[in-house]
Amino acid sequence: MELWYTHLMRETIDQDSLLVQGNRACALGALDAGVRFFAGYPITPSSEIMEVMARELPAVGGVFMQMEDEIASICACIGASLTGEISMTATSGPGFSLMQEAIGYAIMAEAPTVIVNVMRMGPSTGRPTTPSQGDVMQARWGTHGDHPAIVLAASNVADMYRLTIAAVRFAQRFRMPVIVLADEIVGHMRESFSPEIAGRYRLTSGDFDFTETYIHPEMVREVHPPHELGTLIHPHVTGLIHDETGFPTNDPKKSEQFLRELHDKVVHHRGELCLYDVKNVGKGRVAVVAYGSCARSARAALKLAEQEGIPVEVLHLYTLFPLPVEIIQELARRVEFILIPELNLGQYAREVRRLAENWTTVVSMGRIDGNLITPRDIVDRLAELVGKYESA
Amino acid sequence: MAEGESSVAEQEPSVAEPRTIDHYLHTDRFPHIWCPGCGLGTVTAAFLRAALELGLEKDRTVVVAGIGCSSRAVGYLDFGTVHSIHGRALAFATGIKMAHPEFTVIVLTGDGDGAAIGGNHLIHACRRNLDITTILFNNNTYGMTGGQASPQTGMGGYATTAPFGFDEPSFDLCRLAEAAGATYVARGTSYGVRQLQKLIRDGITHPGFSFIEAVTQCPTEYGKRNPPKGPVQMLENLKEKAISRKKAEGMTPEELEGRIVTGLLHRDESVPELTASYARMLERIRKSADE
C-alpha cells in the first residue's frame, strides 16, 4: 500500500515538521485508505477536502466529480460503490441534511461509502465559519426509519487522517455508510503531522492498524454478496425491503428479520467499532466524557485539574455510534459524576445519561455561542460541581 | 459465483432458436405491477428489443431507475439493476459510468421522477455529456401515488391534486434536454413501437448523453380523469397526435399545438464525451508525472 507521506513528499516541506490542515489530512487519509472515487459540492468549512481530492485523485487514476448538489454527490458515491469502487464525499450541515435520504438508501442497500461532515453552527445557514457539534443526533438519526449508524468523531489533524482510514475500513467491512464528524476547528486547524506523530497514538481500545485480512464481508451478516454491478451475478439493488435474493418482499417475517440483521451486524461488533481512549483510569473521583475538539480541551484540563487537587478521569470517544455502552457503564460505576462538554445543547450528554444514570450523575456542559470550550472552562465547572457535591 | 456454476449469460440459445426479450427478463418475477392497458410495458419491451438488436451483454449493462411506476421496470430486468431513490437515478448512473466507462448504462425514469424531483440532475447530466442513455416514460401523471399532477400533466389537465384543472404549462422535455446539452435527443410513443425501438437503439450506440422521451398512456390514473378514456382510445389518440419531425418542419406553431413531434430531434457528435475526456486528462497527468 502506498503510504500517506508519498502524497506529502510532492511538497517541498521539511517532513519532520509538516504543518498540515485537518481537512487536508482527511483527504490524505482517504487516498491512503484506497478511496478512488470522490463526488462533492463546495461548502464551508469542508471545501478543502474536495479541493485536495480534485488535485490528488486523478494522479492515482481515481475519479473526482464536482456534482450539482450534495444529493447528487452522495448518490454518485453510492453508484460508484455498487460497482466495487471505494467512494467518499465530504460536506457540512446544510449539505449533510440534503444527503439524509441517500444515506438511508446506502444502509438499506448495504452500499459502503464514507461521508465526512465538518460541522458548522446551525440550524440552517447558521454561522458557516464557526465550529459546532450540533449534528451529532442528525448523524445518528438523520435518515428516516429504524436504522443502524456508525459515527466517528475526529479531535485533531492526526485523527482526521486516521479516522478517515478507519471509516473506509468499517464501511467496506460492514457494508454500510460510515459518517466521520469533524468540526470547523478540527477541519481548519493546522498541526504538526508526521508519520512519527501519527504512529505515536495509542488507544485503550482497538487501534487504527487494520490487518491485511480485515475486510472479509462474510464475517458480517450479508443479505447477499457484495454488489458488483457489471459482473456475472447481475445484482438487483433496491431501497425496498428485500430478501436474500435482493428482490423486494412484503413478507412480515422476512421484513423483520432483514431489519434486525441490519442492526445486529453493527451492535454485535460494538467491541470492534468502539474506538476510545481513557486517561487516569480509576484515579479520578469525577470524569469528563468528550469527543471532537472538546476532547482536546478535556485532555488538557486533566493536568490542570490535578494541579488544583481534582483527580479526574477522561474518556475520549472516537466512536460515538454504536454507543460504547459497556465503557460508559463501567466508568459510571467508578465516579461521582460525569461532565460532558460539547458544542451543542447536550445531544450526546442525553445518550450518556440514559446509560449511566443508575450509577452516577451526568452533567451537560453545552456551549452554543460559537466559541470553543477551553480547558479552563472545564476545570472551573469541575471545581464548581465538586464543591456542590461535597456540600450536599 | 462459485466455480463450476454456469451463468445465464453462458447459456447461449441455438441459432435455430432466436432470442426473444425473455432473454433479458426475470419472468419469474411476473406478474408485473403495471395496470391493464398501461403503456410502460410497451416502452420497456421496445428497449429490450433494441437491446436484443445490439446484443447488449447482461454483465456489462447496468440499468438504473428512480421511483415510480416506470422505474419499477428494473425489478424485471436481468441486467445489473439499481432501483435507486426518487429523482436521483441519473446521479447514481453518473457514479457508475464514471467509475466504469466500459459499462453500457441505461436510465429508466418517469415524468415525475425525471422532470420534477430529478429535473436538476437531468439538466446537469445533459450538460456533462456522459455516455448514458436516458429513457423518460412520460405518462403525464404520478401513477403510483394515485394520479397527482406532474409537470407534464399540461394546462387544463385534471389530476387528484388538480381537481379544477391544472393551470401550469408543461416542459417540452426534448427542447429542455437539447438546450441543456444532450447530444442525442429523440421522442417516440408507445403507439409507434418500431420507431421507438429504433430511436432507443440509436441512442444507446450514440457516444454521449442520449435522451429519449417515450410518450405513453396511463388509462388508470390519467385516462380516468382526462379524455380520451380507455387504453385503446388513448393509443389511437397518440397515433393521431404524433407527427414526424420532417412533417412538422413546415408547420406553424399554431398547427403544431397539441401535436407530438416524434423522431430524432437533435444529434451532435462534435461534443467530447465525458469519460473519454476524463481518460485523456488522466493520460496527460501520467505523462507529466513521468517527465
Side-chain angles (χ1 to χ4, degrees):
Chain A
M1 194 176 85
E2 199 179 9
L3 288 173
W4 70 274
Y5 43 84
T6 53
H7 302 289
L8 295 176
M9 277 164 71
R10 283 192 231 117
E11 299 188 359
T12 52
I13 312 171
D14 173 13
Q15 277 191 65
D16 296 330
S17 58
L18 282 169
L19 272 182
V20 178
Q21 192 203 43
N23 281 341
R24 184 173 170 80
C26 170
L28 297 177
L31 289 163
D32 286 353
V35 170
R36 290 297 177 269
F37 187 98
F38 185 99
Y41 185 83
I43 187 167
T44 304
S46 78
S47 301
E48 294 85 356
I49 299 174
M50 79 181 290
E51 286 169 354
V52 177
M53 292 310 256
R55 181 164 286 274
E56 301 287 348
L57 260 184
V60 292
V63 176
F64 170 85
M65 289 290 287
Q66 180 167 332
M67 298 300 287
E68 54 272 21
D69 59 24
E70 287 89 346
I71 300 174
S73 302
I74 184 156
C75 290
C77 284
I78 297 169
S81 167
L82 293 175
T83 69
E85 290 295 313
I86 300 181
S87 66
M88 181 176 111
T89 185
T91 187
S92 186
F96 191 54
S97 295
L98 286 178
M99 290 180 180
Q100 293 303 327
E101 186 192 4
I103 292 174
Y105 183 88
I107 294 168
M108 189 65 127
E110 300 188 73
T113 193
V114 171
I115 304 110
V116 181
N117 174 5
V118 185
M119 293 182 283
R120 66 190 222 184
M121 247 177 117
S124 190
T125 313
R127 275 170 56 186
T129 56
T130 302
S132 164
Q133 294 177 322
D135 303 350
V136 170
M137 275 298 133
Q138 194 191 16
R140 176 63 190 88
W141 289 116
T143 196
H144 62 277
D146 278 309
H147 59 270
I150 302 176
V151 182
L152 311 179
S155 68
N156 59 26
V157 171
D159 274 4
M160 286 294 265
Y161 176 79
R162 296 148 58 91
L163 285 179
T164 302
I165 296 178
V168 171
R169 298 286 191 270
F170 288 160
Q172 293 296 319
R173 179 158 150 84
F174 293 92
R175 305 201 59 73
M176 62 183 285
V178 173
I179 294 160
V180 178
L181 291 180
D183 55 58
E184 192 275 340
I185 302 175
V186 176
H188 281 164
M189 177 166 55
R190 284 178 168 78
E191 281 190 290
S192 124
F193 177 64
S194 70
E196 211 273 307
I197 289 169
R200 205 188 290 155
Y201 270 70
R202 290 287 174 268
L203 297 184
T204 311
S205 79
D207 55 44
F208 295 122
D209 301 325
F210 296 95
T211 58
E212 293 267 317
T213 55
Y214 180 74
I215 298 162
H216 272 298
E218 64 274 19
M219 286 174 72
V220 291
R221 169 230 154 258
E222 279 294 303
V223 167
H224 48 73
H227 312 288
E228 272 206 48
L229 293 171
T231 63
L232 291 174
I233 305 164
H234 327 148
H236 177 62
V237 188
T238 178
L240 289 163
I241 300 265
H242 46 275
D243 61 18
E244 64 284 354
T245 64
F247 285 94
T249 178
N250 286 329
D251 182 285
K253 216 173 154 185
K254 283 183 174 177
S255 302
E256 179 172 351
Q257 186 193 344
F258 170 68
L259 288 177
R260 285 198 185 282
E261 285 177 358
L262 276 189
H263 278 82
D264 290 348
K265 75 174 175 185
V266 174
V267 174
H268 289 174
H269 292 84
R270 207 154 51 200
E272 177 184 335
L273 286 164
C274 288
L275 304 171
Y276 65 94
D277 190 10
V278 58
K279 295 280 171 210
N280 252 3
V281 191
K283 290 180 193 152
R285 286 170 53 202
V286 299
V288 177
V289 174
Y291 58 91
S293 57
C294 290
R296 288 173 74 101
S297 297
R299 294 171 87 111
L302 183 133
K303 280 180 192 160
L304 207 56
E306 262 179 357
Q307 287 163 12
E308 299 182 18
I310 309 170
V312 56
E313 205 171 306
V314 171
L315 174 59
H316 178 173
L317 297 177
Y318 296 91
T319 302
L320 300 183
F321 300 102
L323 279 170
V325 178
E326 295 81 7
I327 314 301
I328 288 172
Q329 291 184 339
E330 277 169 31
L331 177 71
R333 290 192 181 91
R334 302 197 285 265
V335 295
E336 288 165 27
F337 65 82
I338 295 175
L339 180 68
I340 303 182
E342 49 184 337
L343 301 177
N344 58 47
L345 288 174
Q347 293 188 18
Y348 204 70
R350 190 169 1 183
E351 292 295 298
V352 176
R353 186 173 296 127
R354 70 185 177 84
L355 295 176
E357 63 188 353
N358 281 352
W359 299 282
T360 192
T361 305
V362 175
V363 182
S364 164
M365 180 181 181
R367 180 159 198 174
I368 53 162
D369 64 353
N371 288 323
L372 51 156
I373 297 174
T374 64
R376 186 74 255 165
D377 295 339
I378 294 173
V379 176
D380 287 351
R381 187 77 181 109
L382 284 172
E384 229 180 292
L385 290 168
V386 167
K388 186 176 148 194
Y389 285 99
E390 274 175 356
S391 61
Chain B
M1 187 172 292
E3 249 177 86
E5 273 181 65
S6 70
S7 76
V8 181
E10 286 160 8
Q11 294 164 4
E12 296 288 328
S14 66
V15 182
E17 215 180 321
R19 277 172 175 167
T20 67
I21 57 170
D22 282 6
H23 175 65
Y24 291 125
L25 284 167
H26 285 299
T27 48
D28 56 323
R29 304 297 305 174
F30 287 172
H32 57 66
I33 61 155
W34 296 318
C35 306
C38 171
L40 299 179
T42 316
V43 178
T44 307
F47 157 55
L48 293 181
R49 278 193 300 273
L52 274 182
E53 258 191 274
L54 296 170
L56 289 190
E57 283 180 64
K58 296 175 178 188
D59 312 329
R60 293 281 135 189
T61 305
V62 178
V63 187
V64 190
I67 296 292
C69 288
S70 55
S71 296
R72 282 299 184 104
V74 291
Y76 312 113
L77 304 185
D78 189 15
F79 295 104
T81 49
V82 183
H83 182 215
S84 75
I85 54 178
H86 198 24
R88 320 300 171 197
L90 276 165
F92 277 74
T94 300
I96 292 164
K97 183 70 183 180
M98 284 302 289
H100 285 273
E102 73 276 19
F103 294 171
T104 302
V105 180
I106 314 283
V107 168
L108 306 181
T109 182
D111 48 315
D113 193 61
I117 188 169
N120 193 28
H121 306 306
L122 175 64
I123 55 173
H124 285 277
C126 291
R127 174 180 65 81
R128 288 193 180 100
N129 197 34
L130 195 53
D131 186 14
I132 292 172
T133 302
T134 296
I135 304 168
L136 188 144
F137 300 57
N138 177 8
N139 63 3
N140 313 99
T141 191
Y142 287 86
M144 186 159 278
T145 45
Q148 292 81 13
S150 96
Q152 302 312 104
T153 292
M155 287 280 238
Y158 289 89
T160 55
T161 51
F164 310 111
F166 198 49
D167 47 13
E168 296 177 15
S170 301
F171 282 122
D172 180 330
L173 290 171
C174 289
R175 285 178 62 200
L176 176 81
E178 183 185 341
T183 50
Y184 177 98
V185 180
R187 188 187 282 118
T189 71
S190 52
Y191 179 84
V193 285
R194 290 198 186 278
Q195 180 197 35
L196 184 62
Q197 173 187 337
K198 183 182 168 299
L199 293 171
I200 293 171
R201 182 198 67 199
D202 293 352
I204 295 171
T205 53
H206 171 75
F209 190 82
S210 306
F211 178 82
I212 298 128
E213 178 185 359
V215 184
T216 182
Q217 77 281 6
C218 170
T220 304
E221 294 297 348
Y222 187 80
K224 188 157 70 184
R225 298 178 183 87
N226 298 278
K229 289 187 190 337
V232 175
Q233 293 82 348
M234 291 180 91
L235 276 170
E236 280 176 344
N237 185 49
L238 286 179
K239 176 190 174 187
E240 284 160 20
K241 280 188 172 170
I243 178 166
S244 75
R245 194 191 114 182
K246 268 191 187 150
K247 275 188 193 160
E249 266 168 5
M251 289 167 74
T252 63
E254 289 74 29
E255 288 171 317
L256 283 172
E257 183 67 36
R259 304 298 296 265
I260 302 165
V261 181
T262 62
L264 173 63
L265 305 177
H266 171 70
R267 184 169 200 158
D268 181 355
E269 295 194 347
S270 69
V271 185
E273 192 275 326
L274 184 61
T275 58
S277 49
Y278 195 87
R280 283 195 295 273
M281 181 185 78
L282 292 189
E283 189 55 38
R284 238 176 19 244
I285 294 168
R286 201 171 306 128
K287 272 185 187 157
S288 67
D290 290 345
E291 279 162 13

